[in-house]
Amino acid sequence: MLAEPGISVIVPAWNEADELPWTLPALQRALSELGRGAEIIVVDNASTDGTAEIARAHGAHVVSEPERRIARARNAGAKAARGRLLIFVDADTRPGAELLRASLSLLDSGTVCGGGAQVAFESPHRILYRRGTALWNTVALRLNLAAGCYVFATREAFEATGGFSEKVYAGEEILFSLRMHRWGRRHDQRFCVLREPRVQTSARKAEWFSLGQHLALLALLSLFPFALRSRRLCGFWYRRPGAEANGVRDRLRD
């Protein structure tokens, strides 16, 4: 990659030693096809496995964020980033060069301050999950809400809006989308979700949590959205069934 990056890809990671050996090479291949200066930043969010070592071994710049809060990890990566264009990618998400190129083209246009992409699971499971994903994609397109696994923004807009809200333990991408949309409207820019290409991400939460647990969480957040301020109530994002004391590497993979 070139010495002076104009693009910073930020990967928040808690105990992602299993995923990073797949995600980081995929990101590097996709970025190399763009022919533009880029860097990859992995934010080690209090991992207890080899996340940081694996990230360094794959040439990523590693930033440490000791407080386990997804928004803090994303913001820590943005603070360390050198690029004018920011792309946030989850550790189990592997966007291709076509998606990166489409996202950067929008940001380069000067008419778009940020956005996201429709989601496609790498290995779709039950029909209800597939229908749920289709419903989310429809809502995301109509309301311009970015899925947390893939978000892009200009540094100017990111800093002007304060980045991701650290008041919540989950759903920070929704709040970010809304704030970016309002900022963009005041500056004659748009926050938009790409229809195509979609971003490929794992369906591992469908393996870790039952359909009943998914529905219970949806009901809880629909009735009590303030639950997003509690890490205990947001355990869906902070627990991994089968990981001893939630502190060792989770061995489940798609």
Side-chain angles (χ1 to χ4, degrees):
M1 295 182 189
L2 303 179
E4 293 297 330
I7 304 161
S8 296
V9 180
I10 298 158
V11 183
W14 169 63
N15 286 357
E16 294 289 4
D18 283 340
E19 293 292 341
L20 291 180
W22 300 86
T23 299
L24 295 179
L27 282 172
Q28 289 164 342
R29 287 193 298 270
L31 289 168
S32 68
E33 292 186 33
L34 302 181
R36 299 174 60 166
E39 64 178 351
I40 298 176
I41 298 173
V42 172
V43 184
D44 179 14
N45 197 198
S47 298
T48 57
D49 64 356
T51 288
E53 292 77 10
I54 289 172
R56 291 190 186 97
H58 283 83
H61 174 52
V62 177
V63 174
S64 176
E65 171 47 59
E67 181 181 335
R68 285 201 55 221
R69 191 186 297 245
I70 302 169
R72 283 187 66 90
R74 297 188 199 276
N75 289 340
K79 184 177 180 180
R82 294 180 289 162
R84 182 182 64 85
L85 307 179
L86 308 176
I87 302 177
F88 298 87
V89 178
D90 278 356
D92 64 339
T93 302
R94 292 169 268 275
E98 186 181 358
L99 175 57
L100 294 179
R101 188 175 291 109
S103 305
L104 295 170
S105 178
L106 288 177
L107 295 178
D108 287 336
S109 71
T111 64
V112 172
C113 60
Q118 289 198 100
V119 176
F121 285 121
E122 292 176 347
S123 53
H125 294 270
R126 305 174 187 87
I127 187 170
L128 286 177
Y129 287 115
R130 294 198 296 271
R131 288 180 176 175
T133 303
L135 176 61
W136 161 256
N137 283 333
T138 298
V139 172
L141 277 176
R142 290 183 178 177
L143 301 182
N144 286 318
L145 301 176
C149 62
Y150 185 79
V151 184
F152 56 89
T154 63
R155 175 179 290 281
E156 176 189 15
F158 182 89
E159 293 182 347
T161 57
F164 294 95
S165 173
E166 297 182 9
K167 295 180 179 180
V168 297
Y169 282 93
E172 73 284 345
E173 71 276 19
I174 303 301
L175 299 177
F176 180 73
S177 299
L178 296 173
R179 286 206 305 269
M180 288 283 284
H181 176 71
R182 290 193 294 268
W183 184 90
R185 190 165 49 192
R186 294 195 302 269
H187 293 81
D188 296 321
Q189 296 183 22
R190 295 179 295 126
F191 184 86
C192 63
V193 173
L194 286 162
R195 185 179 297 273
E196 294 290 344
R198 300 188 178 193
V199 61
Q200 296 285 328
T201 190
S202 81
R204 59 187 182 174
K205 283 189 173 64
E207 297 288 345
W208 294 343
F209 301 100
S210 69
L211 178 60
Q213 288 174 302
H214 282 77
L215 294 176
L217 176 67
L218 179 61
L220 172 67
L221 297 180
S222 297
L223 294 172
F224 307 105
F226 59 82
L228 292 171
R229 294 175 180 257
S230 165
R231 193 170 82 174
R232 183 176 64 84
L233 295 177
C234 290
F236 182 86
W237 290 273
Y238 293 88
R239 288 187 296 105
R240 295 184 182 180
E244 183 181 350
N246 287 314
V248 298
R249 183 173 62 192
D250 175 40
R251 302 185 185 281
L252 291 174
R253 279 184 48 198
D254 291 327

